Every structure is written in C-alpha cells, then in structure tokens.
Amino acid sequence: MRVTLNRAELLGAARRGENIAPHDSPLDVLRGLLLEEDAANGVLTMTASNIEITLEQKLPCQVTEDDAFVLNARLAVSMLEKLSGDTVALEREPGKSMLRVSGGEAEYLVPIWERSSYPKLEMPFPEDTVRLSGIPGMVKRTVFAAAQDDSKPLLKCVNLKFTRNGLRAAVGNGRCIVSAKGDEKSTGDVSLLIPAHSLEKLARLCGDKDEFRVGTTGKSIVFLKESFAFSARLLEGEYIDTDGLLGSIRNQFTVLTGVQELRKALDSASCVDSDGKTCLRFEGQRLTFRCESEHGNTAVPLDVIPLTGMPQGEYWYMSRQLLSCLKSLAGTVTLGIAQDGMLTLETENAYYLQTGVRPGAAGKKEKKKPVKKAA
C-alpha cells in the first residue's frame, strides 16, 4: 500500500486528532489515529477517539489499494512537522507492522498497529438530522457556567434544547444559571445533555459560519459537515429546570449599560482580590463597583440608565464568576436585581443569573467551635 497526499492538510488533520486522542490511555490504539485508505474514491479517513469524543476527517489522496492501521498521534504530528515538501507518502508492505513516512529528502520508519477494536463512528440517518450553525458563539455564552465538580457530572453539561422556535442552550452550576439562544432554524422537540468540555472541543474546530447537520445515534450526538464528523457522548439524567427557575425571577429594578463598561469597571475594582467578592452599589444613575481586601480598597463608579424601579442598595457577588460571564457577553445589557439579591444580566442572545453572597472578603473560613463531650 502506498498513499500520497498534501503534507499541510495531513498535518492539520493530525493536529486536530492529536488534541482528542488520550496520550495516557492504557490501550495503544486509543493513543493513535486510525487511518483508512479508500482506493476507489481516493480518500484517506482519519479517526481520533477518547471514547467520549470521536473526530472523523476525510482527506483527498492518491492511494494504490485499501488499507487500515493505527499510527501514534503524537508521533504523527512530530514527523509531519519536521518533513519538508508539499506532499508526504505513507507506505507499508502487506501484513507488515512498520510504516514508511517520507517527504522531501527525509523518511521515517515507525511502528503501527492493526485497527483491531478501534471504536467506529456511528452515523445518524440523514432524514433525522437538523441544520445548526453558530456553535462557537453559543459555546462562549454558556460553557463558562458549567460546574467543575466531578461529583456532579450532570452540572458539567450543557443542556441543548431543540424547540419549535430554534435551539436554546442552558447551563447551571448551583450559583449561576445562563440561558442562550442558538440557531433559530435548528427546530425540533428534544432535550440533550452534552458535556461542556466536548462542546468546547467542537467549538475550537469550527467557526460561527460553519453549518452542520446534527443528529443522534443512541447515546451520542453527531455533528456532520462536508468531510468532517464529530461525535460526543450524551449523558442521561434529570437536569435542573432552568426555564422554570428563570421564569420565576422578578426584578426589583433594572438599569441599562454596556457589557464592555461593566467588564472594565469590575476588572479594575477586583484587582485587589480577583478571587474574592465585589460589591455593586446602586444610587439612581450611578453604579459603583467596590472591593475590599487586605491588599487595599477600590471603588470604580459607572453611569447607568435606570429602566424600572428605584436603583438603590448594595449587593455582593463572587468577582471571578461575574467576570467570566461578562467576558462571554457583548453589546448593551439590562442589569437587574431580583429577589434575595440575585443579579440578572440580559442581552439579545443570553440571560444570566447569579446568586448573591454575604458582604466581606472571600476566603475566610469560620473557625469550628470545639465539640463538648458528654460526661
């Protein structure tokens, strides 16, 4: 078998695959890239998988006969980066477990594995798929709010809801909830739980203008685009009722301002304690961000436009969590204070809710009182 293809295209595909293949897997084949050559169609299919995520890419090539084998992902990237020339050739003798990789004036002879039990990507039926675009933007507005605690796997997911009005994505971690609009043409009647880190991987592989066909295959969701397929394992379970929670929110007052101005003010105020708490003090048309810590005190004022109610009072929030939210939003925003001091932020494409915290510097733990033993 001998296959010849564009070196830059193969290197790009190998880098994307290497980002998914688990380098510490006890199984040799999972640390590698599955390469399948189709002589009749002149296509090389590269697959990378870590069981939870599978990426399949198709590249045009010149190939003499069908073949399939697994090549270590890190080794593949390293070799292709060092080879010169526009093309690269992969060659092995039938039945041999060594592969010759050549390009320019250099060549490598490296070990390979047979495809054996390498996981195969399942494809949905074309008639059961819906179109979807704008994935990176939707991911940016949601995944930051996913929980980091491994003991709560469902809260580490993004809840994708295909409705008759289009796609919506919701995330909640116990302290904050975010709900974001997706592609309005992605209609349906299904709710899915996909791990946030899987969506982040997909977002790094595409752009907002890229259009996919999306469908499910049992326990996985598959995103299809031209010569590209991305599959992610779905989780099962009862997710929090984000629609019900957000629908119960009643703001005491709201103001209008810009996300960039809010982000700049919070960033400046929290510089004395970025992992602590920040106070939002409202006085009519003036909003002041205030932070106190052992390193000093800050106060950053900001003009806002009152919309409803009487903006007044002091409310405290975790700085880093609020800043993460503001980094995910853009444009103008309606900021409100709801019952129990909850903070709401609403833009054209997203709605964010964060619970308040008690005043004072963060990180101080209360001392436990000694337990008296019974006589």
Side-chain angles (χ1 to χ4, degrees), residues 16 26 29 35 55 67 120 129 155 225 259 262-263 272 295 310 312 330 340 349 351 358 361 366 371:
R16 291 187 287 271
V29 290
L35 304 180
L55 173 65
D67 198 2
K120 185 66 177 177
T129 61
L155 295 186
K225 178 179 74 70
V259 171
L262 285 174
R263 185 166 58 240
V272 297
H295 303 295
M310 181 65 70
Q312 61 182 358
D340 299 321
N349 296 316
Y351 186 95
R358 292 181 178 181
E366 295 182 359
V371 179

PDB file of all heavy atoms in Angstrom, residues 16 26 29 35 55 67 120 129 155 225 259 262-263 272 295 310 312 330 340 349 351 358 361 366 371:
ATOM      1  N   ARG A  16      -5.443  18.160  14.850  1.00  0.00           N
ATOM      2  CA  ARG A  16      -6.795  18.132  15.433  1.00  0.00           C
ATOM      3  C   ARG A  16      -7.068  16.788  16.090  1.00  0.00           C
ATOM      4  O   ARG A  16      -7.679  16.714  17.158  1.00  0.00           O
ATOM      5  CB  ARG A  16      -7.819  18.438  14.343  1.00  0.00           C
ATOM      6  CG  ARG A  16      -7.772  19.887  13.847  1.00  0.00           C
ATOM      7  CD  ARG A  16      -8.907  20.180  12.895  1.00  0.00           C
ATOM      8  NE  ARG A  16      -8.728  19.553  11.589  1.00  0.00           N
ATOM      9  CZ  ARG A  16      -8.087  20.098  10.556  1.00  0.00           C
ATOM     10  NH1 ARG A  16      -7.532  21.295  10.687  1.00  0.00           N
ATOM     11  NH2 ARG A  16      -7.996  19.472   9.400  1.00  0.00           N
ATOM     12  N   PRO A  26      -4.240   3.353  28.434  1.00  0.00           N
ATOM     13  CA  PRO A  26      -3.522   2.079  28.544  1.00  0.00           C
ATOM     14  C   PRO A  26      -3.592   1.262  27.250  1.00  0.00           C
ATOM     15  O   PRO A  26      -2.838   0.302  27.082  1.00  0.00           O
ATOM     16  CB  PRO A  26      -4.247   1.365  29.687  1.00  0.00           C
ATOM     17  CG  PRO A  26      -5.630   1.954  29.688  1.00  0.00           C
ATOM     18  CD  PRO A  26      -5.450   3.381  29.288  1.00  0.00           C
ATOM     19  N   VAL A  29      -3.957   1.564  20.764  1.00  0.00           N
ATOM     20  CA  VAL A  29      -4.732   2.047  19.617  1.00  0.00           C
ATOM     21  C   VAL A  29      -5.436   3.369  19.916  1.00  0.00           C
ATOM     22  O   VAL A  29      -5.597   4.208  19.032  1.00  0.00           O
ATOM     23  CB  VAL A  29      -5.767   0.998  19.150  1.00  0.00           C
ATOM     24  CG1 VAL A  29      -5.069  -0.185  18.522  1.00  0.00           C
ATOM     25  CG2 VAL A  29      -6.671   0.577  20.283  1.00  0.00           C
ATOM     26  N   LEU A  35      -6.100   5.344  10.440  1.00  0.00           N
ATOM     27  CA  LEU A  35      -6.013   5.787   9.053  1.00  0.00           C
ATOM     28  C   LEU A  35      -6.582   4.697   8.155  1.00  0.00           C
ATOM     29  O   LEU A  35      -6.113   3.556   8.172  1.00  0.00           O
ATOM     30  CB  LEU A  35      -4.562   6.085   8.665  1.00  0.00           C
ATOM     31  CG  LEU A  35      -3.819   7.112   9.536  1.00  0.00           C
ATOM     32  CD1 LEU A  35      -2.398   7.305   9.032  1.00  0.00           C
ATOM     33  CD2 LEU A  35      -4.562   8.433   9.553  1.00  0.00           C
ATOM     34  N   LEU A  55     -13.614  12.113  16.461  1.00  0.00           N
ATOM     35  CA  LEU A  55     -13.481  13.042  15.340  1.00  0.00           C
ATOM     36  C   LEU A  55     -13.061  12.265  14.108  1.00  0.00           C
ATOM     37  O   LEU A  55     -12.072  11.535  14.135  1.00  0.00           O
ATOM     38  CB  LEU A  55     -12.443  14.125  15.655  1.00  0.00           C
ATOM     39  CG  LEU A  55     -12.075  15.068  14.502  1.00  0.00           C
ATOM     40  CD1 LEU A  55     -13.279  15.900  14.088  1.00  0.00           C
ATOM     41  CD2 LEU A  55     -10.904  15.964  14.890  1.00  0.00           C
ATOM     42  N   ASP A  67      -6.511  -0.044   2.753  1.00  0.00           N
ATOM     43  CA  ASP A  67      -5.748  -0.483   3.918  1.00  0.00           C
ATOM     44  C   ASP A  67      -6.281   0.249   5.140  1.00  0.00           C
ATOM     45  O   ASP A  67      -7.007   1.253   5.024  1.00  0.00           O
ATOM     46  CB  ASP A  67      -4.254  -0.186   3.723  1.00  0.00           C
ATOM     47  CG  ASP A  67      -3.376  -0.998   4.679  1.00  0.00           C
ATOM     48  OD1 ASP A  67      -3.936  -1.810   5.451  1.00  0.00           O
ATOM     49  OD2 ASP A  67      -2.146  -0.809   4.657  1.00  0.00           O
ATOM     50  N   LYS A 120     -15.615   2.527  16.178  1.00  0.00           N
ATOM     51  CA  LYS A 120     -16.112   3.027  14.903  1.00  0.00           C
ATOM     52  C   LYS A 120     -17.186   4.074  15.126  1.00  0.00           C
ATOM     53  O   LYS A 120     -18.060   3.920  15.982  1.00  0.00           O
ATOM     54  CB  LYS A 120     -16.695   1.867  14.079  1.00  0.00           C
ATOM     55  CG  LYS A 120     -17.133   2.258  12.676  1.00  0.00           C
ATOM     56  CD  LYS A 120     -15.951   2.674  11.813  1.00  0.00           C
ATOM     57  CE  LYS A 120     -16.400   3.003  10.388  1.00  0.00           C
ATOM     58  NZ  LYS A 120     -15.284   3.478   9.549  1.00  0.00           N
ATOM     59  N   THR A 129     -31.677  14.386  10.809  1.00  0.00           N
ATOM     60  CA  THR A 129     -30.769  15.451  11.235  1.00  0.00           C
ATOM     61  C   THR A 129     -31.394  16.824  11.015  1.00  0.00           C
ATOM     62  O   THR A 129     -32.303  16.988  10.207  1.00  0.00           O
ATOM     63  CB  THR A 129     -29.439  15.383  10.466  1.00  0.00           C
ATOM     64  OG1 THR A 129     -29.687  15.564   9.060  1.00  0.00           O
ATOM     65  CG2 THR A 129     -28.751  14.043  10.686  1.00  0.00           C
ATOM     66  N   LEU A 155     -24.176  18.573  36.084  1.00  0.00           N
ATOM     67  CA  LEU A 155     -23.977  20.017  36.114  1.00  0.00           C
ATOM     68  C   LEU A 155     -22.743  20.445  35.330  1.00  0.00           C
ATOM     69  O   LEU A 155     -22.501  21.639  35.158  1.00  0.00           O
ATOM     70  CB  LEU A 155     -23.880  20.514  37.561  1.00  0.00           C
ATOM     71  CG  LEU A 155     -25.139  20.346  38.409  1.00  0.00           C
ATOM     72  CD1 LEU A 155     -24.951  20.997  39.766  1.00  0.00           C
ATOM     73  CD2 LEU A 155     -26.360  20.950  37.701  1.00  0.00           C
ATOM     74  N   LYS A 225     -20.280  17.792   8.722  1.00  0.00           N
ATOM     75  CA  LYS A 225     -20.007  18.915   7.819  1.00  0.00           C
ATOM     76  C   LYS A 225     -19.006  18.468   6.771  1.00  0.00           C
ATOM     77  O   LYS A 225     -17.860  18.176   7.078  1.00  0.00           O
ATOM     78  CB  LYS A 225     -19.457  20.107   8.592  1.00  0.00           C
ATOM     79  CG  LYS A 225     -19.102  21.325   7.732  1.00  0.00           C
ATOM     80  CD  LYS A 225     -18.584  22.467   8.582  1.00  0.00           C
ATOM     81  CE  LYS A 225     -17.180  22.189   9.067  1.00  0.00           C
ATOM     82  NZ  LYS A 225     -16.187  22.234   7.953  1.00  0.00           N
ATOM     83  N   VAL A 259     -21.853  46.097  28.199  1.00  0.00           N
ATOM     84  CA  VAL A 259     -21.077  44.986  28.742  1.00  0.00           C
ATOM     85  C   VAL A 259     -19.607  45.373  28.886  1.00  0.00           C
ATOM     86  O   VAL A 259     -18.965  45.072  29.896  1.00  0.00           O
ATOM     87  CB  VAL A 259     -21.200  43.739  27.841  1.00  0.00           C
ATOM     88  CG1 VAL A 259     -20.225  42.652  28.290  1.00  0.00           C
ATOM     89  CG2 VAL A 259     -22.616  43.202  27.862  1.00  0.00           C
ATOM     90  N   LEU A 262     -19.128  47.514  31.977  1.00  0.00           N
ATOM     91  CA  LEU A 262     -19.245  46.699  33.184  1.00  0.00           C
ATOM     92  C   LEU A 262     -17.983  45.859  33.405  1.00  0.00           C
ATOM     93  O   LEU A 262     -17.468  45.770  34.526  1.00  0.00           O
ATOM     94  CB  LEU A 262     -20.451  45.774  33.086  1.00  0.00           C
ATOM     95  CG  LEU A 262     -21.842  46.379  33.273  1.00  0.00           C
ATOM     96  CD1 LEU A 262     -22.903  45.319  32.990  1.00  0.00           C
ATOM     97  CD2 LEU A 262     -22.005  46.935  34.682  1.00  0.00           C
ATOM     98  N   ARG A 263     -17.511  45.253  32.333  1.00  0.00           N
ATOM     99  CA  ARG A 263     -16.342  44.382  32.433  1.00  0.00           C
ATOM    100  C   ARG A 263     -15.101  45.177  32.864  1.00  0.00           C
ATOM    101  O   ARG A 263     -14.327  44.737  33.719  1.00  0.00           O
ATOM    102  CB  ARG A 263     -16.096  43.696  31.091  1.00  0.00           C
ATOM    103  CG  ARG A 263     -14.979  42.679  31.116  1.00  0.00           C
ATOM    104  CD  ARG A 263     -15.001  41.804  29.865  1.00  0.00           C
ATOM    105  NE  ARG A 263     -14.898  42.569  28.644  1.00  0.00           N
ATOM    106  CZ  ARG A 263     -15.817  42.569  27.683  1.00  0.00           C
ATOM    107  NH1 ARG A 263     -16.920  41.848  27.814  1.00  0.00           N
ATOM    108  NH2 ARG A 263     -15.646  43.275  26.590  1.00  0.00           N
ATOM    109  N   VAL A 272      -7.672  44.096  43.534  1.00  0.00           N
ATOM    110  CA  VAL A 272      -7.104  43.886  44.868  1.00  0.00           C
ATOM    111  C   VAL A 272      -7.436  42.511  45.426  1.00  0.00           C
ATOM    112  O   VAL A 272      -6.845  42.088  46.419  1.00  0.00           O
ATOM    113  CB  VAL A 272      -7.589  44.980  45.848  1.00  0.00           C
ATOM    114  CG1 VAL A 272      -7.098  46.348  45.410  1.00  0.00           C
ATOM    115  CG2 VAL A 272      -9.107  44.951  45.988  1.00  0.00           C
ATOM    116  N   HIS A 295      -5.206  43.707  50.753  1.00  0.00           N
ATOM    117  CA  HIS A 295      -4.296  44.397  49.845  1.00  0.00           C
ATOM    118  C   HIS A 295      -4.730  45.834  49.566  1.00  0.00           C
ATOM    119  O   HIS A 295      -3.996  46.590  48.924  1.00  0.00           O
ATOM    120  CB  HIS A 295      -4.201  43.632  48.518  1.00  0.00           C
ATOM    121  CG  HIS A 295      -3.771  42.213  48.685  1.00  0.00           C
ATOM    122  ND1 HIS A 295      -2.522  41.850  49.150  1.00  0.00           N
ATOM    123  CD2 HIS A 295      -4.436  41.045  48.467  1.00  0.00           C
ATOM    124  CE1 HIS A 295      -2.430  40.533  49.203  1.00  0.00           C
ATOM    125  NE2 HIS A 295      -3.580  40.021  48.790  1.00  0.00           N
ATOM    126  N   MET A 310     -36.544  51.579  41.449  1.00  0.00           N
ATOM    127  CA  MET A 310     -35.638  52.576  42.018  1.00  0.00           C
ATOM    128  C   MET A 310     -34.288  51.912  42.307  1.00  0.00           C
ATOM    129  O   MET A 310     -34.142  51.202  43.294  1.00  0.00           O
ATOM    130  CB  MET A 310     -36.222  53.156  43.310  1.00  0.00           C
ATOM    131  CG  MET A 310     -35.331  54.219  43.943  1.00  0.00           C
ATOM    132  SD  MET A 310     -35.173  55.692  42.900  1.00  0.00           S
ATOM    133  CE  MET A 310     -36.847  56.362  43.072  1.00  0.00           C
ATOM    134  N   GLN A 312     -31.185  51.187  43.930  1.00  0.00           N
ATOM    135  CA  GLN A 312     -30.544  51.584  45.178  1.00  0.00           C
ATOM    136  C   GLN A 312     -30.154  50.358  45.987  1.00  0.00           C
ATOM    137  O   GLN A 312     -30.724  49.283  45.824  1.00  0.00           O
ATOM    138  CB  GLN A 312     -31.478  52.464  46.019  1.00  0.00           C
ATOM    139  CG  GLN A 312     -32.780  51.786  46.420  1.00  0.00           C
ATOM    140  CD  GLN A 312     -33.694  52.711  47.224  1.00  0.00           C
ATOM    141  OE1 GLN A 312     -33.340  53.845  47.515  1.00  0.00           O
ATOM    142  NE2 GLN A 312     -34.861  52.218  47.595  1.00  0.00           N
ATOM    143  N   ALA A 330     -21.620  40.586  24.997  1.00  0.00           N
ATOM    144  CA  ALA A 330     -21.205  41.763  24.228  1.00  0.00           C
ATOM    145  C   ALA A 330     -22.417  42.667  24.023  1.00  0.00           C
ATOM    146  O   ALA A 330     -23.562  42.252  24.182  1.00  0.00           O
ATOM    147  CB  ALA A 330     -20.616  41.337  22.884  1.00  0.00           C
ATOM    148  N   ASP A 340     -33.959  38.255  46.838  1.00  0.00           N
ATOM    149  CA  ASP A 340     -32.805  37.713  47.560  1.00  0.00           C
ATOM    150  C   ASP A 340     -31.471  38.221  47.005  1.00  0.00           C
ATOM    151  O   ASP A 340     -30.437  37.552  47.147  1.00  0.00           O
ATOM    152  CB  ASP A 340     -32.817  36.181  47.540  1.00  0.00           C
ATOM    153  CG  ASP A 340     -34.053  35.606  48.210  1.00  0.00           C
ATOM    154  OD1 ASP A 340     -34.466  36.173  49.240  1.00  0.00           O
ATOM    155  OD2 ASP A 340     -34.597  34.614  47.700  1.00  0.00           O
ATOM    156  N   ASN A 349     -29.031  37.836  23.098  1.00  0.00           N
ATOM    157  CA  ASN A 349     -28.847  36.403  22.871  1.00  0.00           C
ATOM    158  C   ASN A 349     -28.704  35.559  24.131  1.00  0.00           C
ATOM    159  O   ASN A 349     -28.602  34.337  24.046  1.00  0.00           O
ATOM    160  CB  ASN A 349     -27.602  36.168  21.995  1.00  0.00           C
ATOM    161  CG  ASN A 349     -27.761  36.765  20.619  1.00  0.00           C
ATOM    162  OD1 ASN A 349     -28.808  36.627  20.002  1.00  0.00           O
ATOM    163  ND2 ASN A 349     -26.733  37.447  20.144  1.00  0.00           N
ATOM    164  N   TYR A 351     -29.326  35.181  28.737  1.00  0.00           N
ATOM    165  CA  TYR A 351     -29.865  35.626  30.033  1.00  0.00           C
ATOM    166  C   TYR A 351     -29.033  34.957  31.112  1.00  0.00           C
ATOM    167  O   TYR A 351     -28.849  33.734  31.104  1.00  0.00           O
ATOM    168  CB  TYR A 351     -31.331  35.227  30.178  1.00  0.00           C
ATOM    169  CG  TYR A 351     -32.004  35.771  31.415  1.00  0.00           C
ATOM    170  CD1 TYR A 351     -32.743  36.957  31.359  1.00  0.00           C
ATOM    171  CD2 TYR A 351     -31.909  35.105  32.636  1.00  0.00           C
ATOM    172  CE1 TYR A 351     -33.364  37.464  32.505  1.00  0.00           C
ATOM    173  CE2 TYR A 351     -32.520  35.604  33.776  1.00  0.00           C
ATOM    174  CZ  TYR A 351     -33.245  36.782  33.705  1.00  0.00           C
ATOM    175  OH  TYR A 351     -33.847  37.283  34.831  1.00  0.00           O
ATOM    176  N   ARG A 358     -22.759  36.951  50.974  1.00  0.00           N
ATOM    177  CA  ARG A 358     -22.695  37.853  52.124  1.00  0.00           C
ATOM    178  C   ARG A 358     -21.544  38.845  51.958  1.00  0.00           C
ATOM    179  O   ARG A 358     -20.530  38.520  51.337  1.00  0.00           O
ATOM    180  CB  ARG A 358     -22.504  37.056  53.408  1.00  0.00           C
ATOM    181  CG  ARG A 358     -23.719  36.215  53.783  1.00  0.00           C
ATOM    182  CD  ARG A 358     -23.470  35.475  55.086  1.00  0.00           C
ATOM    183  NE  ARG A 358     -24.630  34.693  55.491  1.00  0.00           N
ATOM    184  CZ  ARG A 358     -24.675  33.962  56.599  1.00  0.00           C
ATOM    185  NH1 ARG A 358     -23.613  33.923  57.401  1.00  0.00           N
ATOM    186  NH2 ARG A 358     -25.759  33.280  56.901  1.00  0.00           N
ATOM    187  N   ALA A 361     -14.737  40.065  52.784  1.00  0.00           N
ATOM    188  CA  ALA A 361     -13.705  39.444  51.962  1.00  0.00           C
ATOM    189  C   ALA A 361     -13.921  37.949  51.875  1.00  0.00           C
ATOM    190  O   ALA A 361     -14.366  37.315  52.810  1.00  0.00           O
ATOM    191  CB  ALA A 361     -12.319  39.731  52.558  1.00  0.00           C
ATOM    192  N   GLU A 366     -14.749  30.150  58.679  1.00  0.00           N
ATOM    193  CA  GLU A 366     -15.158  30.278  60.065  1.00  0.00           C
ATOM    194  C   GLU A 366     -14.516  29.166  60.899  1.00  0.00           C
ATOM    195  O   GLU A 366     -14.409  28.025  60.476  1.00  0.00           O
ATOM    196  CB  GLU A 366     -16.689  30.174  60.171  1.00  0.00           C
ATOM    197  CG  GLU A 366     -17.412  31.317  59.486  1.00  0.00           C
ATOM    198  CD  GLU A 366     -18.915  31.185  59.677  1.00  0.00           C
ATOM    199  OE1 GLU A 366     -19.326  30.199  60.327  1.00  0.00           O
ATOM    200  OE2 GLU A 366     -19.644  32.042  59.180  1.00  0.00           O
ATOM    201  N   VAL A 371     -16.287  20.669  70.057  1.00  0.00           N
ATOM    202  CA  VAL A 371     -17.447  19.873  70.459  1.00  0.00           C
ATOM    203  C   VAL A 371     -17.216  19.349  71.871  1.00  0.00           C
ATOM    204  O   VAL A 371     -16.191  18.720  72.168  1.00  0.00           O
ATOM    205  CB  VAL A 371     -17.654  18.678  69.498  1.00  0.00           C
ATOM    206  CG1 VAL A 371     -18.831  17.846  69.947  1.00  0.00           C
ATOM    207  CG2 VAL A 371     -17.862  19.188  68.079  1.00  0.00           C
TER     208      VAL A 371
END
